[in-house]
Amino acid sequence: MKSTAKAGGVSAQTTRANYDAVLLTIRSSKSFFEVTQAIERSLQRFHIPKLMEYVTHGDRAGVEAYVDSTSAPMAIFWDFEQGSTMRLAGIPIESKFYLVGNAVIARGLFEYTGAAGLGAPVRICVSQRDGEETRIDMDLPSAFFNKFPETRPSSVPALLDEKLIKIFEDAAA
């Protein structure tokens, strides 16, 4: 579905496309805290302010070195602990949201489209309702990026599936 709008003599075109997604869920008998600690021990932290120091100074070699040093196997770009807020709201759950990825691998998506930023880094949610198993949920990257015709030639979505599933299955085991 397409629509066009004009404002100040400039037009914008909006397109809507339906797509299928695949929710991947890994369940664990470990506690929420054991799973999140395992994830955080196995992944490096990618510090955006440090990256921006290199970018601000136009230091491409510095950017490359920093990205390379934080990309094996994946990095946590951002996290947000939601459980404490939910508990205050009366919802008995622990929940933590992560953006996880590998900036070197992601280049193989961004070379096709800037819209790759909608799914790279990949969104991960670890949660545990009181009395239930811990779960790790994410949109399967290959299914997510399949909605972009431009990224279909890229091998990156399948590579992300393989690497991320292994990392999170190991954290859950």
Side-chain angles (χ1 to χ4, degrees), residues 10-88:
V10 177
S11 66
Q13 185 179 51
T14 302
T15 304
R16 294 179 191 211
N18 292 328
Y19 68 95
D20 291 324
V22 175
L23 175 64
L24 178 82
T25 301
I26 300 167
R27 297 184 190 280
S28 177
S29 58
K30 286 179 162 180
S31 74
F32 169 83
F33 297 104
E34 290 171 317
V35 171
T36 54
Q37 286 175 353
I39 290 168
E40 292 173 19
R41 274 194 311 272
S42 69
L43 301 177
Q44 299 182 63
R45 295 274 175 177
F46 192 95
H47 296 282
I48 303 299
K50 181 151 182 89
L51 175 70
M52 293 313 297
E53 286 179 36
Y54 297 116
V55 171
T56 301
H57 293 100
D59 182 356
R60 182 175 179 166
V63 167
E64 295 288 337
Y66 182 67
V67 167
D68 287 344
S69 75
T70 58
S71 294
M74 296 279 165
I76 297 170
F77 286 76
W78 189 74
D79 64 41
F80 180 65
E81 194 281 320
Q82 301 163 303
S84 56
T85 305
M86 294 301 110
R87 287 191 173 280
L88 283 173

